[in-house]
Amino acid sequence: MNYDVIGDIHGCYDELINLINELGYSRDQNGILNHQDNRKLVFLGDLTDRGPESLKVVHFVYELLENEVALYTPGNHCDKLYRYFCGRDVQIRHGLETTVDEFKALSSNEQVTVASKFKKMVEEAALYLQLADNQLIIAHAGIREEFIGQRHKAVRTFVLYGDITGERHPNGMPVRRDWAKEYTGERTIIYGHTPVKEPRKAGSTINIDTGCVFGGSLTAYRYPEGQTISVPSSMPLVEEKFHTFED
Ligand SMILES: [Mn+2]
């Protein structure tokens, strides 16, 4: 199986549709989206929050999962929205407020539908994906080589939040270590979570969060071809949200 892995969408539904069209997916006579070359889409998490149409993205990805044309692994924003839908006491900030506003504007029937779809997606999802005979790893914020195959608490924190130190930068952003630079493994690791202007390769890792919701682009990585395809964002550019790395 060949895969098209899609970076952090954050409610940018129009860009998602543009990218999927660009990748060559289309609907068959039964209205089911698929690819004539038998490819699958892979979503690496953070489907919602900050952007304009988070719940439309949820419905769309849910349909693809039901039709088995996509795989999904959650991000930190997915984890928090899941806890919100479970009625837990979560802080409605860092972008969750846009999704909650969309949710509250729905009828109670529509609320039940979208919440149960999303909960099912997250409950059935793996913390990270091991594909292509374990040669392709997809993890929201990345993963250390020695963590591959493990699922304990430290692995979960790393996969959802990255290699955080617990400290914060003066602008409030958590300090994240550059784990990808140290990665010497053979397996391909595709991740997102940290917005970069261009897809960032380091060893056999690639960060494909090109900050669509901050006015960058939405990027897909084609495996095994190793090619990236990006579509431009319709959102205003928020320059300070993009990270730069020393390679
Ligand atoms: Mn994230």
Side-chain angles (χ1 to χ4, degrees):
M1 180 61 69
N2 295 346
Y3 299 99
D4 296 311
V5 187
I6 298 189
D8 307 46
I9 301 164
H10 284 302
C12 293
Y13 178 78
D14 289 345
E15 290 85 342
L16 173 60
I17 298 303
N18 289 344
L19 180 57
I20 283 173
N21 289 337
E22 196 79 15
L23 291 164
Y25 291 79
S26 59
R27 293 196 183 269
D28 66 16
Q29 62 270 35
N30 301 316
I32 311 244
L33 195 94
N34 58 26
H35 198 288
Q36 58 182 10
D37 300 334
N38 196 30
R39 305 183 70 92
K40 268 190 188 182
L41 292 161
V42 184
F43 296 97
L44 60 61
D46 286 5
L47 305 177
T48 64
D49 297 4
R50 295 195 178 107
E53 296 184 297
S54 290
L55 298 183
K56 238 168 132 174
V57 174
V58 170
H59 286 293
F60 182 72
V61 172
Y62 182 86
E63 178 205 323
L64 301 184
L65 294 170
E66 287 288 288
N67 292 329
E68 297 182 352
V69 69
L71 301 169
Y72 160 71
T73 190
N76 54 310
H77 286 261
C78 304
D79 178 60
K80 199 170 175 192
L81 181 59
Y82 176 81
R83 288 184 280 124
Y84 173 80
F85 282 152
C86 289
R88 313 249 188 95
D89 186 21
V90 298
Q91 293 190 336
I92 316 243
R93 54 190 191 125
H94 299 306
L96 180 59
E97 59 276 21
T98 67
T99 308
V100 168
D101 284 348
E102 283 185 50
F103 180 72
K104 286 189 170 164
L106 299 175
S107 69
S108 54
N109 277 346
E110 290 169 324
Q111 288 186 348
V112 170
T113 302
V114 74
S116 61
K117 282 185 183 180
F118 189 75
K119 280 160 68 175
K120 184 165 185 262
M121 281 169 60
V122 172
E123 283 162 9
E124 291 179 357
L127 176 62
Y128 54 91
L129 296 166
Q130 295 168 271
L131 305 175
D133 278 331
N134 204 24
Q135 291 310 297
L136 172 62
I137 309 297
I138 294 148
H140 177 64
I143 191 166
R144 269 191 222 294
E145 189 177 22
E146 61 268 29
F147 283 167
I148 296 170
Q150 299 181 40
R151 284 182 162 65
H152 55 79
K153 193 159 179 263
V155 180
R156 184 181 150 81
T157 302
F158 195 102
V159 166
L160 291 180
Y161 300 98
D163 196 1
I164 49 173
T165 64
E167 294 158 276
R168 286 184 179 271
H169 290 292
N171 69 1
M173 293 292 286
V175 174
R176 299 171 190 170
R177 290 190 203 92
D178 191 4
W179 67 273
K181 198 176 169 182
E182 316 296 324
Y183 178 80
T184 54
E186 304 241 311
R187 296 182 182 100
T188 301
I189 299 181
I190 309 177
Y191 68 105
H193 183 64
T194 301
V196 283
K197 277 282 172 70
E198 299 291 332
R200 183 211 180 207
K201 282 188 182 172
S204 48
T205 73
I206 183 162
N207 175 1
I208 57 166
D209 179 7
T210 45
C212 191
V213 80
F214 299 123
S217 59
L218 186 64
T219 295
Y221 178 90
R222 311 201 95 165
Y223 182 91
E225 294 87 343
Q227 175 197 11
T228 58
I229 297 185
S230 302
V231 295
S233 169
S234 62
M235 302 290 287
L237 183 66
V238 189
E239 190 70 47
E240 65 270 21
K241 294 291 184 184
F242 290 85
H243 290 243
T244 48
F245 291 94
E246 289 165 32
D247 285 308

